[in-house]
């Protein structure tokens, strides 16, 4: 799978000389919002007309590409993004996997067990790193993290949970996720200084219709509207406009495949000789012993 995704970094520090207007409880803290649009191929803003992605790009920094870690699927790469560890180290090697040491397999419903995310004591999501930097517990420099829908949300990683979180909910509108994370950044009493949110599109559309399709255009127009909704909330708030940095990224890209050019493993290898876990772009195959 071709696997280049995008990374935009927007530094919204255009009024560096103004004093914060809303709240200065934690002025010394950097503020960062990390957003992932799953499966957002690096060149979508060049292929499709996406006004808000373009606007972010024009006032920020765009990296040309990222080399993903392998495997290029949702859970492995999202955990790599927040821990800085490769899959073989953090142990999330696929969306659906079997682990011979744990003698257990996963599904979307059982991935909320801490044993999957705490396989290595070095696994430390950035929301945990942020909170571990608290300055002797002084209230005025209290770092708090807020996490919504990011893979592993709601599961303790090596015993740690972010101050604020909401677990993945398929039927929830992404606008309400944006509203919530912004509310946490603006909370007068317990503001977060690091927030991260995840959206499952355009990956879903890419898997069904491919990256170059009218359906992808429709989905990307929606993603662009969502980004516009977020940027408007930041731009309309003098405090956030002045203090919030935004990183927009993705876990992997998307390429076209020809459904006529396929090989069926079962036509060549006796399926009783192995067990397979995974699906979509990758599978893990375990040969039976004997
Ligand atoms: C903001 O900082 C000033 C000067 O440090 C302080 O006097 C004031 O109480 C602070 N305001 C809030 C809302 O924390
Ligand atoms: C995508 O859709 C928009 C809005 O319907 C349209 O203006 C644009 O031409 C389409 N772009 C592509 C590349 O199909
Ligand atoms: C692995 O788990 C299965 C049941 O899920 C059990 O039958 C099997 O004995 C276990 N294997 C080992 C080596 O513990
Ligand atoms: C994981 O999610 C399932 C299904 O939603 C739920 O029944 C279970 O209690 C959850 N387990 C943990 C450890 O949160
Ligand atoms: C998921 O979101 C929907 C729509 O906002 C809501 O009605 C539902 O209660 C949520 N489910 C959970 C488990 O929070």
């Amino acid at each position: 799978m071709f696997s280049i995704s995008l990374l935009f970094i927007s530094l919204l520090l255009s009024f560096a000389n103004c004093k914060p207007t809303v709240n200065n409880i934690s002025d010394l803290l950097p503020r960062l919002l990390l957003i992932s649009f799953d499966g957002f191929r690096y060149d979508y803003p060049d292929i499709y007309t996406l006004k808000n992605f373009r606007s972010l790009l024009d006032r920020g920094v765009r990296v040309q590409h990222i080399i993903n870690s392998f495997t290029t699927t949702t859970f492995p790469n999202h955990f790599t993004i927040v821990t800085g560890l490769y899959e073989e180290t953090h142990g999330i090697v696929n969306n659906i996997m079997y682990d011979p040491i744990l003698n257990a397999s996963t599904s979307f419903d059982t991935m909320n067990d801490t044993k999957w995310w705490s396989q290595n004591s070095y696994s430390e999501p950035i929301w945990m790193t942020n909170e571990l930097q608290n300055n002797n517990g002084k209230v005025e420099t209290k770092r708090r993290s807020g996490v919504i829908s990011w893979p592993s949300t709601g599961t303790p990683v090596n015993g740690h949970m972010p101050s604020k979180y909401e677990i993945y909910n398929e039927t929830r509108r992404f606008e309400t996720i944006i509203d919530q994370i912004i509310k946490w950044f603006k909370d007068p009493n317990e503001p977060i200084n690091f927030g991260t949110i995840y959206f499952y599109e355009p990956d879903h559309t890419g898997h069904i219709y491919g990256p170059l399709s009218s359906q992808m255009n429709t989905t990307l127009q929606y993603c662009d509207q969502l980004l516009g909704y977020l940027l408007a909330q930041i731009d309309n708030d003098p405090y956030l406009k002045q203090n919030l940095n935004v990183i927009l990224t993705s876990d992997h890209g998307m390429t076209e495949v020809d459904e006529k050019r396929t090989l069926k493993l079962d036509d060549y290898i006796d399926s009783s000789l192995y067990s397979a876990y995974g699906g979509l772009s990758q599978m893990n195959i375990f040969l039976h012993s004997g």
Side-chain angles (χ1 to χ4, degrees):
M1 166 131 312
F2 191 63
S3 58
I4 293 178
S5 54
L6 92 172
L7 176 73
F8 293 153
I9 303 177
S10 174
L11 300 175
L12 302 172
L13 292 171
S14 41
F15 297 95
N17 293 326
C18 308
K19 288 276 181 286
T21 50
V22 172
N23 142 4
N24 61 2
I25 291 171
S26 313
D27 288 343
L28 298 175
L29 293 182
R31 297 278 196 275
L32 176 64
L33 172 60
L34 172 66
I35 309 166
S36 171
F37 280 96
D38 196 324
F40 196 109
R41 188 166 126 166
Y42 75 108
D43 57 356
Y44 281 159
D46 307 318
I47 299 172
Y48 298 95
T49 305
L50 304 172
K51 148 168 96 72
N52 294 303
F53 280 88
R54 182 59 57 183
S55 150
L56 185 64
L57 203 152
D58 286 345
R59 51 180 155 158
V61 175
R62 179 187 190 181
V63 301
Q64 294 204 323
H65 65 263
I66 299 171
I67 299 173
N68 307 114
S69 60
F70 185 82
T71 50
T72 50
T73 48
T74 302
F75 287 175
N77 254 275
H78 279 93
F79 207 45
T80 289
I81 291 168
V82 294
T83 59
L85 300 174
Y86 289 113
E87 278 88 336
E88 69 266 29
T89 305
H90 63 56
I92 306 293
V93 298
N94 213 335
N95 288 342
I96 296 169
M97 59 182 173
Y98 171 74
D99 188 305
I101 295 171
L102 298 172
N103 188 28
S105 54
T106 61
S107 67
F108 280 101
D109 285 341
T110 57
M111 279 302 269
N112 59 359
D113 191 319
T114 188
K115 74 181 175 198
W116 295 110
W117 307 95
S118 309
Q119 292 179 59
N120 187 316
S121 61
Y122 292 115
S123 293
E124 182 183 294
I126 187 170
W127 54 78
M128 175 174 171
T129 312
N130 179 50
E131 296 191 347
L132 290 175
Q133 308 309 308
N134 278 316
N135 182 4
N136 303 322
K138 276 196 216 152
V139 172
E140 59 274 26
T141 55
K142 178 86 175 146
R143 289 168 177 263
R144 290 185 198 83
S145 303
V147 181
I148 307 179
S149 305
W150 198 275
S152 89
T153 308
T155 310
V157 179
N158 285 315
H160 185 273
M161 294 286 268
S163 294
K164 297 170 195 270
Y165 66 89
E166 288 183 7
I167 61 172
Y168 182 72
N169 178 346
E170 218 169 44
T171 59
R172 186 175 188 182
R173 291 177 64 237
F174 198 61
E175 285 90 339
T176 69
I177 292 177
I178 293 172
D179 290 344
Q180 183 60 69
I181 204 84
I182 292 291
K183 215 166 146 191
W184 285 343
F185 274 112
K186 290 166 67 174
D187 188 311
N189 301 313
E190 295 188 337
I192 60 169
N193 74 301
F194 172 75
T196 186
I197 56 180
Y198 163 86
F199 187 48
Y200 65 88
E201 287 284 20
D203 182 64
H204 180 71
T205 300
H207 280 293
I208 301 173
Y209 300 105
L212 306 174
S213 60
S214 62
Q215 290 90 345
M216 179 55 79
N217 189 21
T218 303
T219 294
L220 289 172
Q221 298 304 327
Y222 176 54
C223 293
D224 194 56
Q225 268 175 38
L226 291 171
L227 182 61
Y229 180 73
L230 171 73
L231 293 179
Q233 294 213 38
I234 296 171
D235 285 340
N236 293 334
D237 185 294
Y239 179 72
L240 290 180
K241 188 177 165 89
Q242 201 173 299
N243 291 286
L244 186 65
N245 298 305
V246 178
I247 296 180
L248 183 52
T249 190
S250 184
D251 53 345
H252 59 78
M254 188 64 64
T255 192
E256 294 205 287
V257 288
D258 181 348
E259 58 190 345
K260 294 193 193 80
R261 298 185 61 212
T262 55
L263 293 174
K264 265 186 94 181
L265 195 59
D266 286 357
D267 291 347
Y268 299 92
I269 300 173
D270 179 353
S271 61
S272 70
L273 298 176
Y274 65 89
S275 301
Y277 299 85
L280 292 177
S281 58
Q282 278 110 24
M283 297 201 88
N284 301 132
I285 292 176
F286 292 86
L287 296 181
H288 294 158
S289 54

